[in-house]
Amino acid sequence: MDDRHWPKDVGIRAMHVVIPSLYVDQADLERYDRVSEGKYTVGLGQKQMGFCTDLEDVNSLCLTAVSQLVENNGLSYSDIGRLEVGTETLVDKSKSAKTVVMKLFAAAGNHSVEGVDTTNACYGGTAALFNALAWTESSAWDGRLAVVVAADIAVYAAGSSARATGGAGAVAMLVGPGASLVVDRGLRGTYMDHAYDFYKPDLGSEYPVVDGKLSVRCYLNALDRCYESYRSKCGQRGDAVRGLGAFDSFVFHAPYCKLVRKALARLYAKDSAGETASAAEEASTGADEAAAMDRSRPVFEAKTGPSLMLASRVGNTYTASVYSGLASYLLSVPPERLAGKRIGVFSYGSGLASSVYSITVADNGLAAMVDRLRVSVTAGLERRTRFTAEQFADALDVRRESLHRAPYAPAGDRALLFPGTWYLSGIDEMRRRHYERKE
């Protein structure tokens, strides 16, 4: 279809990041876990980890993210015609988190809101975003805006080396025409496959089963396939085949920051003159890994390093991870220099599902969007309460022991929550969850 028949500049009009009010320092965790100094801070590239007590679950994170996105952007709930949640932190096998968030729409009398939850490990937020974009460009679109929420709480068993790769948070995105972050139409490379690299077969536990080495291989192979597909789409359109040089930033899903460095080195090797895909494979998985990362360091620091600010300080937020990376990059560049930037995005979810797509930054209320985002992120990081590693471990023990208990009254300290946070006030004898907001 001729571009004149599409809504103009469809993409992300606003973003809001929810950061947990509690965090633990990764250096403290190294000492507590009795591992070598630098194992988490250097080996994984992590500085801090945000986490939630039993007062918060995916529903409360979504309630907080949507309510603050609406309030901070002067919206009415009547303005929204689609709401989708991407998450893997499910609390019910049937009832979607989206339906819980609908309680926010009741006062406006708006019950005509399409969309439900989308789930596949860390990819759910991207699938939800693609659905919202497609709705906006379809015959079903009624002219209203869409909201996408990516939210998760990543926790791992005590004593597991994976526990240091946890985190929690949410990113809410307002989607529609006239966007500041325009998703490039027709440029998307997707790769799907069947793998057991990370999965959650035990429905009575929040903890996943992880094959770490397989997961890294799956992530990097998916990146290869998506990147090749994206570049092929460029060629089909008659565009120059785009390598890293065509992007001002490249944002990756970040289970931990060191993996992102490997991923960027891999793409750099594939783009470099005279290097083949097999050379890239060797550079990112073999003895030349450190050398490959060293060769790509200037490109990493310019294009990807700034996107890891939240990943390093909050941790892995699963579906929200790649979008917290997008937010981090936007905050690293003066707003007056953002317009016209092109951002590559790699989203990965184990099991597996993955895509590479691109965003062009447009000057559609851009400065105001970035200013609001900066205020929310800065306030979240600065107001947090630091827990000791012992307090962190105790809080996660309470989450584990209380999972699926009913009736249940959460034991977490509400005074430590940020104002405006929705929280779980209790679970009744019929296992219905009740939520209140801290004023």
Side-chain angles (χ1 to χ4, degrees):
M1 183 183 289
D2 191 300
D3 276 355
R4 290 173 297 179
H5 298 284
W6 297 103
K8 184 174 173 56
D9 291 345
V10 175
I12 301 168
R13 294 168 53 124
M15 299 178 71
H16 181 78
V17 177
V18 174
I19 296 169
S21 61
L22 305 175
Y23 78 97
V24 61
D25 192 89
Q26 291 280 8
D28 291 345
L29 275 184
E30 289 173 346
R31 290 186 286 271
Y32 179 78
D33 290 343
R34 298 181 180 179
V35 300
S36 59
E37 182 179 352
K39 182 178 177 65
Y40 304 154
T41 52
V42 179
L44 297 177
Q46 301 301 118
K47 298 176 182 177
Q48 300 158 347
M49 186 201 314
F51 67 95
C52 299
T53 69
D54 61 343
L55 280 170
E56 296 181 270
D57 59 19
V58 70
N59 293 341
S60 68
L61 287 176
C62 289
L63 285 164
T64 300
V66 173
S67 60
Q68 293 181 353
L69 176 76
V70 168
E71 292 162 2
N72 292 349
N73 288 276
L75 299 171
S76 165
Y77 287 101
S78 298
D79 298 333
I80 300 167
R82 188 176 187 92
L83 170 65
E84 289 215 30
V85 173
T87 186
E88 64 171 272
T89 314
L90 305 172
V91 296
D92 191 282
K93 292 185 291 183
S94 175
K95 181 175 173 59
S96 68
K98 179 268 179 75
T99 59
V100 176
V101 180
M102 285 303 301
K103 69 182 291 169
L104 299 174
F105 292 72
N110 182 14
H111 299 279
S112 177
V113 183
E114 295 191 5
V116 286
D117 292 0
T118 304
T119 299
N120 186 86
C122 302
Y123 187 80
T126 293
L129 175 61
F130 289 171
N131 289 343
L133 295 168
W135 175 75
T136 305
E137 295 183 335
S138 76
S139 62
W141 185 50
D142 61 6
R144 291 185 293 169
L145 300 168
V147 170
V148 172
V149 191
D152 274 303
I153 299 173
V155 290
Y156 296 85
S160 164
S161 59
R163 176 161 274 199
T165 65
V171 177
M173 295 171 278
L174 185 67
V175 175
S180 301
L181 306 178
V182 182
V183 177
D184 294 337
R185 185 180 293 113
L187 291 178
R188 185 188 304 171
T190 291
Y191 177 70
M192 304 273 176
D193 201 3
H194 171 51
Y196 278 116
D197 58 323
F198 169 111
Y199 51 108
K200 295 180 177 177
D202 183 356
L203 300 182
S205 171
E206 287 190 300
Y207 303 148
V209 176
V210 185
D211 184 332
K213 292 183 178 179
L214 175 61
S215 189
V216 171
R217 292 200 302 271
C218 287
Y219 178 103
L220 295 174
N221 178 61
L223 173 61
D224 283 347
R225 302 293 288 271
C226 290
Y227 189 60
E228 291 163 4
S229 178
Y230 176 90
R231 294 180 62 168
S232 176
K233 296 283 180 68
C234 292
Q236 292 168 15
R237 287 179 24 150
D239 298 345
V241 176
R242 293 175 181 160
L244 285 173
F247 299 100
D248 298 284
S249 175
F250 210 103
V251 176
F252 297 81
H253 168 57
Y256 53 93
C257 294
K258 192 66 170 288
L259 180 57
V260 173
R261 293 199 63 181
K262 295 179 183 180
L264 188 281
R266 189 182 189 90
L267 295 191
Y268 180 81
K270 291 172 74 68
D271 283 351
S272 296
E275 292 213 54
T276 63
S278 61
E281 174 74 21
E282 293 172 3
S284 59
T285 61
D288 292 333
E289 178 181 279
M293 288 193 288
D294 189 60
R295 287 196 301 271
S296 62
R297 185 180 302 277
V299 177
F300 172 80
E301 292 178 350
K303 297 182 185 293
T304 298
S307 72
L308 295 177
M309 183 269 290
L310 284 170
S312 67
R313 298 188 63 185
V314 179
N316 185 7
T317 51
Y318 286 164
T319 57
S321 170
V322 73
Y323 299 102
S324 71
L326 177 58
S328 295
Y329 169 70
L330 294 173
L331 297 181
S332 74
V333 180
E336 64 272 15
R337 291 172 45 199
L338 274 172
K341 301 286 189 186
R342 171 155 288 148
I343 306 167
V345 181
F346 173 60
S347 179
Y348 176 82
S350 292
L352 58 83
S354 56
S355 291
V356 164
Y357 64 99
S358 55
I359 290 170
T360 299
V361 182
D363 192 11
N364 294 324
L366 178 63
M369 172 199 172
V370 174
D371 284 346
R372 286 190 289 268
L373 182 61
R374 190 182 308 279
V375 168
S376 67
V377 169
T378 301
L381 290 174
E382 290 181 349
R383 293 184 299 170
R384 295 185 299 173
T385 299
R386 178 175 174 174
F387 265 32
T388 65
E390 290 81 3
Q391 290 173 309
F392 163 75
D394 289 345
L396 263 59
D397 283 345
V398 171
R399 285 191 69 90
R400 176 180 54 80
E401 293 166 2
S402 65
L403 192 67
H404 299 309
R405 283 178 54 187
Y408 181 70
D413 186 354
R414 298 177 188 176
L416 297 176
L417 297 173
F418 295 143
T421 298
W422 285 85
Y423 61 90
L424 178 68
S425 58
I427 303 174
D428 66 24
E429 64 281 355
M430 294 183 66
R431 299 184 180 275
R432 295 174 297 195
R433 292 172 176 251
H434 302 278
Y435 299 91
E436 297 179 19
R437 192 179 194 188
K438 181 178 178 179
E439 299 299 334

